[in-house]
Amino acid sequence: MKDSLSVALAGNPNAGKTTLFNQITGARQHVGNYPGITVDHKEGKATHNGHKIIVTDLPGIYSMTAYTAEELVSRDYLVNERPQVVINIVDASNLERNLYLTCQFMELGVPIVIALNMMDVAKDRGIEIKADRLSELLGVPVVPIIARSGMGQEELLDATIALAGENREWTPRDISYGEDINDTIMTIIDLAAENDFLTEDYPPRYTAIKYLENDEQIVEKGRSTNPGMADKLEAMVERVSNHTMKTMEVYPEAIIADHRYGFIKSIVKQGVITHKFDADRLYTSDKIDKVLTNRLIGPAIMLLILLGLYQFTFSWSEAPVAWLESFFGWIGGLVESTMPDGLLKSMIISGIIDGVGGVLGFVPLIMFMFFGIAILEDSGYLARVAYMMDRLFRIFGLHGSSVMPFIVSGGIAGGCAVPGVMATRTLRSPKERMATLLTVPFMNCGAKLPVLALLIGAFFSEHQARYMFIFTMLAWVVALLAAKILRSTVLRGAPTPFVMELPPYRFPTMRGLLIHTWERTWQYIKKAGTVILGISILLWALMTFPGLPEQQSARFEQNRQTILAAHPELEEIKASSGIEKLPATSRQAYTELIRIDNLESEATLRNSFAGRIGTTLEGFSRFAGFDWRTNIALVGGFAAKEVIVSTLGTAYSMGNVDVEATESLSQRLQHDPNWNRVAAVAALVFIMFYAPCFVTVVCIARESSWKWAAFSIVFNTVFAFMLATLVYQVGTILNLG
C-alpha cells in the first residue's frame, strides 16, 4: 500500500457527495480546475487509524458516457489517475436510479465501496434497505451512512482502507445485453485484445460497450490511435445498429440502458428493498413542492426569496463594508502622511490602496451573498428554480437545462460566467446551446457585484436591496430577450424536451455552508490580490505616464510659488491641520492652492495614456452619460469587471489631493458633477451587458469559435451602449437625475 491512499468520491448530483467530502476532509481541502476544463476540482486530506488519505471529489454525474464536461472529467480521472478506491455515494431514497452509475463503474472495473447515503430520508419514506444483501448481490462493500450527520463515516473509511489493502486489479463486471449486443461485444473484445486497441486505458469489454453507445470521445480516441481498427469497429457497430433499428426500432445504446436497469431491478427485487408505506403516499418534499413549484404561487415565492436574500445581504454587510472602507481610508492617510512625495507613493495610494482596497472593501457583502446562495443550493431549492423557469424559457426558445448555466453565471447575483459557459455542454441541441452560451454573460456575476453595490450604495442607499433585486430581474429580462432575438434569427429552431429530477429538500449543515461560503469568498479575495492587483498597477501606470509637458508643469508650479510667497504660513499648513485658525485671506489662498493642485492632477491624468483614450471616447460616450474618467474604468473592465471599481478608485483619488478629504469612492462619485442617479443607472446598464471579461471570451471561443467570441464582444457592447444611451437620454429629458 502507498504511504497515502488515493480515494475518489463519485456519484449523482444531489446524492450528498460534497457533504460527505466536507465531513471527511473538513478545512483540509483546496479547489482548482481540471487542466483545460473549467470544472471544479476539489481535493482534501484525511487521516483514519493512522492511514493518510487523499480524497478527490469528482463532479456529480448521472452517467459515464462523456456528453458533458463533468462526465468527461470523471471518466478521465478514473482512467488516468487510477485511484485505489472509488467511494460511490448512492442516494438510498432513489436507489435504482443511483445504481445506474454504479453499474458503469463496475463495467469499468474500478474498485468501489458504496456509501448508501440518506438512510434517514429513505426511512421517512418507508423504504428499508438491507445493505448486507445488496453487498452480497453486487459483490462490493456497501456501508449505510448519513453524510450530513456523520453517521457511518468511520465504518465507511474502515471499508475503504480494507479494500485498498487488497490491491485488487481492475476487474470489469459482465452484464448481459441480449443476443445481438452480446455477440458484437464478444467480437470487439477479441479484436481489441488481439490488436492492443485502447487496452492501455480501458478493458476490451468496456471499449466494446462504449463503441456501441457511440461514445464520441472514445470513438475519436480510437480513430487517432489505430484508424484501420477503428473503421472496422465502427462498421460493425453500424451493422448492429441498423439491425436493431429494423427489428426493435431502437439503437444499441437504448438497449444497453434498458438491460442495465433490468440488471438493477433484478438485484433490488431479491430482498434488498421493502416498502412500509403505500407507494402513492406523498413525501414531505412532494408536499412542499405542491406549493413552491405551483404554477402561480411558486414564481411569486421565488421572487420574495430572492428579495429576502438581497435584504439579508445588504443589511448584514452594511457595517463591515463601512468599516473596511474606513480601514483602507486610514491606511491611505497613513501612507500619505509618512511617505515622501513621488511615484512610489502615488502607486501605493492610488494604484494599490484605492484600487485593490476598493474591491476588497466589498468582501463582507460578497461573503453574505455567497452564504445565502449556499443555503438555497444545499437545501435543494435552486433545482426548483430551474424547474419553474423551464416554462418561461420555452417562450424565448431556450431549454430548461439553460436555467442552471444562467444561475451559475449570476442569475442570483454572485456567480461566474466562465463555469456558466462551460455548463452549456449539458444542452444537446447545438442552437439552444449557442443561444445560452452567448447570453449567460448578461447575468450579474460576482465580478459585477462590487460595481453594482458601489453605484447602488452611492445613489440609491435608502433601498439597496430593492434596487439590487430590480437590476437582477433586469439582467434576466434582457438576457431572455437577447436569446429570443438570436433564436428568431441566426439560431432558428424548435426547443427540445426538458426532463429534470427534483432532489429532496434538506436542512443544510452549518459546516457545509461555511465551507462553501469560504471557498467562493477566498476565490474572490485571491483574484483581488493577484489579477486585480496587477491590472490596477498597470492602469495606474497608464494613468500616470507620460505626465505633463515640462512647460505646463512649470506654469502650475509658478502659480503655486506665487501664492506661497504671499502666504508663507501655508508651507506648514499644507502638511497638517489647522486652517480654521488662519485669517480669511489665508484660508482663501489655501483653497486656491488646493484648486491648483487638483487642476494639475486632473491635467496630468488627462494627458496620460489612459486619459487620452478616455477623452477620445468621450466624443460619443457622453450620449450615455459617461465622462472620460468613467471611460478609463470601462475600458479596464474588458479585462475583468472588478477592475471598474479599482480603476474608478484610482482615477478619482488621483484627482483628489486634498489631505483633509478622506471621502470614500462612493462619496466622491456623489459629489462629482458628472454623476447623478440617471448617469448611475445608465452606467449600471452598460456594465451589466457590455462585452464579457477576457477569460469568458476565451472560454466562449473554446466552446464554439473565435468568430462567436468576437460576435459576443461586439454584439454585447453595441447592445449595452444603445440601452445605456436610451436610459440616460430619457432620464435626462424627464429630469430624473
Side-chain angles (χ1 to χ4, degrees):
M1 189 182 298
K2 299 177 183 177
D3 293 337
S4 294
L5 304 180
S6 59
V7 174
L9 295 185
N12 289 178
N14 305 304
K17 180 174 55 61
T18 301
T19 304
L20 178 61
F21 177 73
N22 291 336
Q23 283 282 2
I24 292 174
T25 62
R28 295 162 297 176
Q29 53 183 258
H30 67 270
V31 182
N33 288 323
Y34 291 95
I37 299 178
T38 310
V39 175
D40 273 355
H41 174 197
K42 294 184 181 180
E43 192 174 274
K45 297 178 182 178
T47 304
H48 183 71
N49 293 340
H51 294 271
K52 293 180 181 178
I53 306 173
I54 305 295
V55 186
T56 300
D57 183 19
L58 298 179
I61 56 173
Y62 290 108
S63 167
M64 287 280 280
T65 300
Y67 289 124
T68 68
E70 288 77 11
E71 290 165 352
L72 181 63
V73 159
S74 295
R75 189 172 71 197
D76 282 354
Y77 180 86
L78 295 177
V79 170
N80 297 329
E81 301 299 327
R82 296 261 170 170
Q84 290 168 276
V85 177
V86 173
I87 298 178
N88 178 206
I89 294 84
V90 168
D91 179 358
S93 63
N94 287 292
L95 186 63
E96 290 188 32
R97 175 179 59 76
N98 278 241
L99 286 178
Y100 187 82
L101 180 61
T102 306
C103 284
Q104 293 180 297
F105 287 143
M106 292 167 64
E107 286 175 325
L108 184 56
V110 300
I112 64 171
V113 173
I114 292 178
L116 201 57
N117 190 26
M118 296 190 224
M119 294 298 288
D120 51 341
V121 176
K123 185 178 179 182
D124 290 343
R125 293 187 173 187
I127 300 170
E128 186 177 314
I129 299 175
K130 294 180 180 176
D132 292 343
R133 180 63 175 155
L134 182 61
S135 175
E136 178 188 342
L137 292 169
L138 289 176
V140 299
V142 178
V143 182
I145 67 165
I146 302 175
R148 58 191 303 276
S149 69
M151 189 278 282
Q153 182 179 311
E154 296 292 313
E155 292 81 358
L156 178 63
L157 292 177
D158 286 340
T160 301
I161 291 168
L163 182 60
E166 295 177 14
N167 286 320
R168 286 189 189 178
E169 290 187 6
W170 284 35
T171 309
R173 176 72 178 258
D174 289 356
I175 297 174
S176 174
Y177 296 116
E179 186 176 345
D180 291 331
I181 304 296
N182 284 344
D183 287 347
T184 306
I185 287 175
M186 293 308 298
T187 305
I188 294 176
I189 287 174
D190 292 339
L191 287 170
E194 287 172 14
N195 295 274
D196 289 328
F197 184 71
L198 302 180
T199 52
E200 286 187 9
D201 294 326
Y202 309 105
R205 182 178 176 81
Y206 190 80
T207 300
I209 292 168
K210 289 298 151 189
Y211 259 84
L212 286 161
E213 288 182 319
N214 196 26
D215 188 296
E216 290 182 9
Q217 190 218 16
I218 288 183
V219 169
E220 190 58 42
K221 193 171 185 177
R223 288 171 185 163
S224 61
T225 303
N226 187 334
M229 179 55 59
D231 288 343
K232 275 188 184 179
L233 299 189
E234 287 179 50
M236 198 179 300
V237 169
E238 187 176 357
R239 282 196 299 273
V240 75
S241 296
N242 292 336
H243 177 71
T244 57
M245 279 301 294
K246 286 177 183 176
T247 55
M248 294 179 279
E249 295 186 344
V250 291
Y251 287 107
E253 53 261 43
I255 297 172
I256 290 172
D258 286 344
H259 278 77
R260 281 190 187 128
Y261 278 116
F263 171 75
I264 292 166
K265 282 186 178 295
S266 70
I267 286 177
V268 168
K269 287 183 177 180
Q270 294 183 57
V272 171
I273 290 185
T274 55
H275 292 271
K276 292 184 179 180
F277 304 143
D278 184 358
D280 293 332
R281 172 184 168 176
L282 277 178
Y283 305 129
T284 304
S285 287
D286 299 324
K287 291 176 181 176
I288 297 172
D289 278 339
K290 288 194 79 173
V291 177
L292 292 188
T293 62
N294 181 274
R295 189 177 292 270
L296 297 176
I297 302 173
I301 294 174
M302 179 181 70
L303 294 177
L304 287 174
I305 288 173
L306 189 59
L307 184 58
L309 171 65
Y310 293 138
Q311 192 66 51
F312 160 77
T313 299
F314 281 100
S315 59
W316 281 78
S317 66
E318 185 176 359
V321 165
W323 181 85
L324 274 177
E325 279 186 349
S326 301
F327 174 70
F328 285 113
W330 174 79
I331 292 178
L334 184 65
V335 173
E336 174 68 44
S337 60
T338 56
M339 284 189 70
D341 290 340
L343 288 175
L344 179 61
K345 178 179 178 178
S346 174
M347 185 187 75
I348 291 174
I349 293 176
S350 297
I352 298 176
I353 296 173
D354 288 313
V356 177
V359 176
L360 289 177
F362 291 101
V363 165
L365 185 141
I366 294 287
M367 188 177 291
F368 282 109
M369 179 68 75
F370 285 156
F371 183 80
I373 292 171
I375 292 174
L376 298 180
E377 201 170 21
D378 291 1
S379 66
Y381 183 71
L382 279 190
R384 272 73 188 177
V385 173
Y387 173 77
M388 286 186 288
M389 294 294 287
D390 172 56
R391 301 178 195 130
L392 177 65
F393 270 47
R394 286 182 168 279
I395 298 171
F396 294 92
L398 293 178
H399 189 269
S401 294
S402 302
V403 179
M404 288 315 292
F406 273 78
I407 292 174
V408 168
S409 298
I412 299 176
C416 178
V418 172
V421 169
M422 299 297 295
T424 61
R425 289 185 175 184
T426 58
L427 278 76
R428 300 292 188 264
S429 164
K431 290 184 178 179
E432 287 173 343
R433 179 171 179 265
M434 189 58 64
T436 306
L437 182 146
L438 292 172
T439 50
V440 292
F442 284 170
M443 296 293 104
N444 290 328
C445 64
K448 296 175 188 174
L449 194 56
V451 193
L452 269 68
L454 170 69
L455 295 179
I456 289 172
F459 297 98
F460 307 97
S461 57
E462 65 276 15
H463 299 295
Q464 292 184 71
R466 187 185 304 171
Y467 278 96
M468 181 63 83
F469 174 78
I470 290 169
F471 282 111
T472 300
M473 292 297 100
L474 179 64
W476 281 94
V477 170
V478 171
L480 289 174
L481 287 174
K484 183 65 174 177
I485 292 169
L486 292 170
R487 292 286 280 136
S488 303
T489 54
V490 292
L491 297 171
R492 209 175 282 152
T496 53
F498 171 62
V499 178
M500 180 180 184
E501 180 182 341
L502 299 179
Y505 290 100
R506 305 186 191 94
F507 283 106
T509 63
M510 183 55 67
R511 185 181 188 183
L513 292 175
L514 292 177
I515 288 174
H516 290 155
T517 303
W518 172 245
E519 283 174 354
R520 292 167 178 173
T521 305
W522 175 242
Q523 291 292 317
Y524 178 83
I525 294 171
K526 194 161 62 172
K527 191 175 182 182
T530 52
V531 177
I532 306 304
L533 174 62
I535 296 173
S536 294
I537 293 173
L538 174 63
L539 287 169
W540 166 84
L542 291 173
M543 286 186 274
T544 301
F545 299 104
L548 279 178
E550 191 173 332
Q551 188 177 1
Q552 193 175 354
S553 183
R555 277 202 304 271
F556 281 114
E557 184 59 29
Q558 184 180 357
N559 291 337
R560 248 191 309 266
Q561 292 304 321
T562 301
I563 294 172
L564 290 173
H567 299 276
E569 70 276 11
L570 296 182
E571 285 281 8
E572 293 183 6
I573 293 296
K574 273 199 73 181
S576 63
S577 59
I579 63 166
E580 69 280 350
K581 298 176 183 177
L582 295 174
T585 54
S586 296
R587 289 201 299 272
Q588 289 173 0
Y590 176 79
T591 302
E592 179 62 18
L593 201 62
I594 293 302
R595 189 183 73 83
I596 291 169
D597 286 349
N598 280 329
L599 284 173
E600 183 179 20
S601 180
E602 181 175 335
T604 303
L605 183 57
R606 274 187 179 274
N607 192 58
S608 68
F609 296 120
R612 293 172 189 176
I613 295 170
T615 305
T616 302
L617 293 174
E618 199 174 30
F620 60 89
S621 71
R622 59 189 174 84
F623 293 110
F626 307 152
D627 71 341
W628 61 279
R629 275 194 181 95
T630 306
N631 290 342
I632 296 172
L634 295 176
V635 170
F638 277 94
K641 294 299 182 281
E642 301 99 326
V643 171
I644 295 171
V645 173
S646 62
T647 309
L648 284 173
T650 300
Y652 279 89
S653 72
M654 291 176 77
N656 176 17
V657 295
D658 186 356
V659 297
E660 299 288 330
T662 56
E663 291 181 317
S664 66
L665 176 56
S666 60
Q667 290 170 324
R668 292 174 193 166
L669 295 178
Q670 288 170 17
H671 298 155
D672 190 280
N674 293 306
W675 283 90
N676 56 36
R677 287 192 167 202
V678 173
V681 173
L684 282 169
V685 167
F686 184 78
I687 290 163
M688 284 168 61
F689 303 126
Y690 85 114
C693 68
F694 177 73
V695 178
T696 303
V697 170
V698 172
C699 190
I700 290 172
R702 285 179 179 171
E703 292 297 306
S704 53
S705 68
W706 280 105
K707 180 187 74 173
W708 283 111
F711 174 83
S712 178
I713 295 171
V714 175
F715 173 77
N716 290 23
T717 304
V718 171
F719 181 69
F721 185 74
M722 289 171 63
L723 278 179
T725 300
L726 179 66
V727 168
Y728 183 73
Q729 295 298 328
V730 172
T732 302
I733 292 169
L734 297 177
N735 198 27
L736 299 177

